[in-house]
Amino acid sequence: MSSNPSRRHPASPTRQGLPSTSATASLRQLLDSLSKEQRSNQELLVSLGFALRSFTNLNRFLELVPVVAARLVGVEGALLVPFHADGRLWNEQLQILTTARSEPVLQALNKHEPGRSSGFGSDDALVLGMDRLVQRQLGSAGVFATSLVARGRQRGRLYVFNPSGSLIWTDVHRRHVQLVADLAGVAIENDLMLQEARLHERVDRQLSIGAEIQAQLLPDHCPVIEGVELAARCRPAFQVGGDYYDFIPTRPELIGRRRERGRWALVMGDVMGKGVPAGLLMTMLRGMLRAEVLSGLPPDRILHDLNQLALEDLSQSHRFVTLFYSDFDPRTRRLRFANAAHNPPLIWRSQQRSVSRLDAPGLLIGLQPEAEYGVGSTVLEPGDVLLYYTDGVTEAPGITGDRFDEDRLIRSLESACRSGTGSQGILDQLFRRLDRFVGPDRQLEDDASMVVLKVREEVMLPSVPRTSA
């Protein structure tokens, strides 16, 4: 063995601590590949966001979701299972990236009995059962599942899977898939809100039409009746209301001055409830009553017959009607009246300068067959004021929570009558007093209607002294 020590060769300065040329090229290729993948993923997400803004067809957008999700993760399979608004499986909108196992998965979901029940999507145990069903249908494929959530509600599930084996999964993949699921949830929520807005638009149009029809059924102006002034107003709580007032000539064939001097029916009623159902019943009741008035019967008989006619329709709707019916003869100034449990009108006596109530016994219209009604009568004197109203006036809540009530209405009527104004002025004062009590910009809870009848003051001519012959 040689005793000479082995000779060391000095290291080349170009190789020490630096990668080889081939390693540098490989690193650059890897960075370029990652950069291209990142740009591709960004373009996919941007495209999906653009589709969300642009598509008005939800089905077209949902078709893209599994395609984008699969490409972001680099797998062959993806499945989107959206839910209806009530949580049921939305089978018509199942979207799957086509693979050899697509058809069995879709068939299994379409036959999944729990998915047909309302609230399925909000039950975590049932959703987990669907996850297991999907996994069974996909066999050994690696599966990742996440929820579509919008406004705190689960709107579906998104699955990505690799039919050929397990998933190569990273946190970036998870975030990408969740972002796609969130966009899909927003798309479904937007579509639901759009459908709801369209439904509200249709309902609003129908309500507007109903309100126009009802406004045409209520008198658009008060008739001319000899010796009295009339003023009326209905303020519905909704577009369509259940309050009803009417002025009906008992002999409609008369015209001109003969009609003004003829007998008139003055009616105030209220269908229990508000909105469209009450408005429809009010319309029905109006037609029946107008036909009854032509019979010329006294008020108690008219209410009796009206109750018999309307009983079946009202009982089926589980609603009742209060109605005050009166007829007025201008020649004698006599008012006859009957009451079906309505708020008794208030009468201001000009001579006594006090307010009292007009009432007669009687049951609600539609409560029971063969109901009997009492009848009353009174003579109105010059200056007397009669106020018909519905309970939406006296039951109106104020800012403090108190009701307007009858006592407050009586005091308001006394004040308005003492002012010496006409029927329209009295009506305006009463509504102003009601509005102040309820408070500015506050909606009435119930329909509020008032009719004011004032007997004109007799003109007293000054006496002329006699001259002696």
Side-chain angles (χ1 to χ4, degrees), residues 303 339-342 359-364 371-374:
L303 288 189
N339 194 3
H342 191 76
D359 203 1
L363 297 175
L364 295 162
E372 297 297 329
Y373 298 89

Side-chain angles (χ1 to χ4, degrees), residues 293-335:
V293 168
L294 299 179
S295 67
L297 294 172
D300 56 328
R301 291 302 306 170
I302 285 181
L303 288 189
H304 173 273
D305 294 348
L306 180 64
N307 178 67
Q308 295 297 107
L309 288 171
L311 186 64
E312 182 176 354
D313 291 326
L314 290 173
S315 62
Q316 289 178 356
S317 67
H318 304 288
R319 294 176 185 268
F320 307 102
V321 177
T322 68
L323 187 74
F324 188 92
Y325 178 90
S326 60
D327 63 31
F328 177 71
D329 187 345
R331 294 168 299 178
T332 62
R333 295 200 301 265
R334 178 168 292 279
L335 184 83

